[in-house]
Amino acid sequence: MLPEPDTNPHPRKIIHIDMDAFYASVEQRDDPALRGRPVAVGGSRERGVVAAASYEARVFGVRSAMPSVTARRRCPDLVFVKPRFEVYRAISEEIRAIFAEHTAIIEPVALDEAYLDVTENLQGLPSATAVARAIRAAILERTGLVASAGVSYNKFLAKVASDHRKPDALFVITPAMGPSFVETLSIGRFHGVGPVTEARMRALGIETGRDLRERPLEELTAHFGSAAAYYHAVARGIDERPVRAHRVRKSIGAETTFGDDTADRTVLAERLAPIIDRVWQASVAKGVRGRTVTLKLKLSDFTLMTRARSGPAPVGDRSGLERAALALLDEAMPLRRSARLIGLSLSGLGEADAAGPVQLGLEI
């Protein structure tokens, strides 16, 4: 028996906007020669990874996070384009300005997607569907790019709706539809159920939303711990999470995969330098500073090494970040194997005006 639909006479109105193949679509927009062709944004070298794929590439099974060599094998005609993150960020800001014309309650998830609470909308449009339609039209007119939108009474279903008929889609899941719609979903389409959890659920015989709904909370807790309450609720079309207008960023980081492995400290320091620049520039651009610096090394056997240091106050300048990063690198040396990747992150973030130039402490 289905649970009762939401009887709240004033349910929230949530929109999830997801740009269609964002990075690849920007490249196709800016270079007409790429239009209609399978495009991958990312590195084409042996150690490269696909950051985004056009829909023409996805037909061949090319996906983001896929090794470039695998993508090339699946699609020999694949065109690789170097990412231009400064361009993507600028367009993302333009799109968020469109959102802000309709609501102040905006929760960015990434450069290419966001949740909007339009329970009260600034334009006085008659419905959330009308707001989503207006936003999609404005994005297309001002940027030349296509966005898909999902409209529902909670974040989980808005996310499901935006993905339901992509690309170039607008789909609505009403409170009356919610519970029955969820029961037909494959468990792999549940936002928050990653590949590992999906495999565990399928091993338990949980294939669909209906299967998940039939499992008692106690059983789900035994298998999935604190996440069980979320799975138990969304299987019933329930998600009480609010759209958070001011999400607190937990960390800023960057990394690079090498074309050739190395265990040489001098070479590693050279490869770390542009990573330090990227992390510091992101820190400045976002107006935040961090107290904890973490160095990540992935070795040739794919094992991960991390070293971290926290100080009593945020790192105040780029030279301070560099000193901390190199000290962590020295601490990791000598490596037992060559490294194939190096990364750096700042966490323990706070507003920039609270920070001054500080020598990072030695607390681990």
Side-chain angles (χ1 to χ4, degrees):
M1 180 179 178
L2 289 175
E4 290 296 318
D6 190 341
T7 57
N8 181 353
H10 303 290
R12 288 183 295 172
K13 299 176 183 180
I14 308 298
I15 300 173
H16 181 260
I17 299 286
D18 194 358
M19 301 300 297
D20 293 338
F22 182 48
Y23 298 171
S25 293
V26 171
E27 299 303 333
Q28 289 178 316
R29 181 199 69 175
D30 293 351
D31 184 353
L34 297 176
R35 294 173 191 170
R37 301 179 68 185
V39 173
V41 177
S44 60
R45 296 178 304 172
E46 182 179 352
R47 297 296 181 88
V49 175
V50 174
S54 68
Y55 281 97
E56 295 87 350
R58 295 182 190 187
V59 170
F60 294 89
V62 178
R63 296 289 185 270
S64 61
M66 176 180 286
S68 297
V69 291
T70 303
R72 178 78 75 186
R73 192 179 306 119
R74 292 190 178 186
C75 181
D77 295 327
L78 189 63
V79 180
F80 282 92
V81 180
K82 290 183 178 179
R84 299 181 296 153
F85 290 108
E86 70 285 354
V87 174
Y88 309 147
R89 280 190 288 269
I91 297 171
S92 180
E93 289 301 320
E94 189 175 358
I95 292 168
R96 290 179 191 176
I98 295 171
F99 298 161
E101 295 172 4
H102 295 271
T103 179
I105 309 175
I106 304 165
E107 181 181 337
V109 179
L111 292 179
D112 60 345
E113 65 174 308
Y115 292 99
L116 289 66
D117 188 325
V118 296
T119 306
E120 302 290 338
N121 76 81
L122 300 177
Q123 299 294 328
L125 295 176
S127 67
T129 305
V131 175
R133 190 176 292 118
I135 288 173
R136 294 180 71 235
I139 290 173
L140 181 60
E141 179 183 358
R142 299 184 203 178
T143 72
L145 300 172
V146 175
S148 288
V151 181
S152 196
Y153 58 96
N154 64 44
K155 290 171 72 174
F156 171 76
L157 287 171
K159 171 75 172 176
V160 168
S162 71
D163 192 51
H164 188 55
R165 291 179 178 167
K166 279 174 86 53
D168 194 14
L170 168 59
F171 191 74
V172 180
I173 300 176
T174 66
M177 292 168 57
S180 58
F181 190 90
V182 171
E183 77 167 1
T184 65
L185 285 180
S186 166
I187 203 64
R189 291 189 57 199
F190 274 63
H191 182 56
V193 175
V196 174
T197 300
E198 179 185 356
R200 291 173 61 195
M201 286 190 174
R202 292 190 186 280
L204 294 169
I206 301 173
E207 301 282 346
T208 66
R210 177 183 297 160
D211 297 332
L212 182 59
R213 192 186 68 235
E214 291 175 349
R215 303 302 175 98
L217 179 58
E218 295 76 12
E219 179 185 346
L220 294 176
T221 301
H223 290 285
F224 304 107
S226 60
Y230 169 77
Y231 301 145
H232 186 266
V234 296
R236 291 157 173 75
I238 299 168
D239 180 8
E240 300 296 341
R241 295 174 300 157
V243 175
R244 296 177 291 170
H246 301 288
R247 296 184 69 195
V248 177
R249 191 181 182 97
K250 295 181 179 180
S251 66
I252 293 172
E255 61 186 39
T256 186
T257 300
F258 309 148
D260 54 322
D261 299 347
T262 183
D264 185 282
R265 193 268 183 198
T266 301
V267 175
L268 289 169
E270 290 174 352
R271 293 175 177 178
L272 185 58
I275 300 297
I276 295 170
D277 287 335
R278 286 166 58 189
V279 172
W280 183 250
Q281 288 166 8
S283 173
V284 171
K286 297 179 182 302
V288 295
R289 300 291 184 267
R291 293 179 57 251
T292 300
V293 179
T294 302
L295 177 78
K296 179 172 77 171
L297 291 161
K298 182 181 288 185
L299 304 184
S300 57
D301 62 358
F302 288 85
T303 58
L304 284 175
M305 291 178 59
T306 59
R307 297 290 185 272
R309 291 188 175 191
S310 297
V315 180
D317 54 31
R318 191 230 179 253
S319 62
L321 179 60
E322 181 178 27
R323 287 193 301 272
L326 293 177
L328 292 171
L329 179 60
D330 288 338
E331 187 178 300
M333 300 301 292
L335 301 182
R336 62 178 180 80
R337 291 180 182 271
S338 295
R340 68 188 313 272
L341 173 150
I342 194 166
L344 190 73
S345 65
L346 266 176
S347 56
L349 302 179
E351 295 297 326
D353 57 11
V358 175
Q359 172 96 29
L360 203 68
L362 300 179
E363 301 172 19
I364 301 298

